[in-house]
Amino acid sequence: MRINISRKKIKSSFVGKVEEISGQNLLACYQCGKCSAGCPAVSEMDILPNQIIRYAQLGFKDELLQSKSIWICASCFTCNARCPKGINIAEVIEAIRQILLRKREDHLKIEELSDSEKEDVPPIAMVSSMRKFTS
Ligand code: SF4
Ligand code: SF4
């Protein structure tokens, strides 16, 4: 993947919004990697937790909003507990999901599921998915 770093991206409103929603100081991260080393979901992720923080610092909005990782994260908070800088990585990931959900964008489109797929989805997942659209 080609990565373009620019002052414009770093100063973008996306970076400020992630910090505002998450309540975290992204620049506190010094990329030690302890968050990713302890994450139980990392094998399924396309961008690792420490990379998510780096991308957020640099304003890589599109890469983050399109990443699989923000939906794979189980909000288990292992990364939060391991971070030597006290950064709540799970909240940063939640903030990125929120930015998408507030635009009424979701990774799952219930109306596109077949009847047999709907039968396999746990009811709580269906309820949870629909609740995102009631605020
Ligand atoms: S553990 Fe904390 S400081 Fe280390 S890479 Fe992850 S977010 Fe950054
Ligand atoms: S909260 Fe998410 S990113 Fe952090 S360790 Fe758990 S699954 Fe991984």
Side-chain angles (χ1 to χ4, degrees):
M1 179 178 20
R2 190 182 165 133
I3 300 286
N4 290 317
I5 297 174
S6 70
R7 180 183 293 267
K8 194 174 161 198
K9 280 187 185 174
I10 294 170
K11 300 277 181 197
S12 69
S13 61
F14 173 75
V15 178
K17 205 180 280 185
V18 172
E19 286 196 319
E20 184 189 336
I21 297 172
S22 68
Q24 305 304 304
N25 174 16
L26 296 171
L27 289 178
C29 171
Y30 58 4
Q31 288 294 302
C32 68
K34 280 192 75 176
C35 49
S36 298
C39 173
V42 85
S43 62
E44 301 299 321
M45 292 184 172
D46 50 359
I47 302 176
L48 306 184
N50 68 299
Q51 293 174 319
I52 290 176
I53 302 298
R54 194 65 164 151
Y55 278 30
Q57 289 172 339
L58 296 173
F60 288 174
K61 179 181 174 183
D62 294 342
E63 290 81 355
L64 286 171
L65 295 184
Q66 290 163 18
S67 99
K68 202 169 66 158
S69 300
I70 61 170
W71 302 108
I72 295 291
C73 169
S75 300
C76 69
F77 304 134
T78 304
C79 49
N80 292 7
R82 288 173 62 89
C83 179
K85 297 292 287 182
I87 302 168
N88 291 335
I89 299 102
E91 276 79 346
V92 172
I93 295 173
E94 169 66 10
I96 298 165
R97 281 196 298 265
Q98 281 297 325
I99 288 170
L100 267 181
L101 293 170
R102 289 176 187 184
K103 291 196 296 179
R104 296 290 190 256
E105 290 181 25
D106 202 344
H107 70 301
L108 175 68
K109 294 195 172 22
I110 293 175
E111 63 277 13
E112 291 177 8
L113 295 179
S114 68
D115 287 343
S116 64
E117 284 170 329
K118 283 180 195 156
E119 281 173 16
D120 288 341
V121 175
I124 189 64
M126 295 286 275
V127 172
S128 170
S129 179
M130 288 177 191
R131 280 178 57 193
K132 290 173 187 166
F133 298 99
T134 59
S135 59

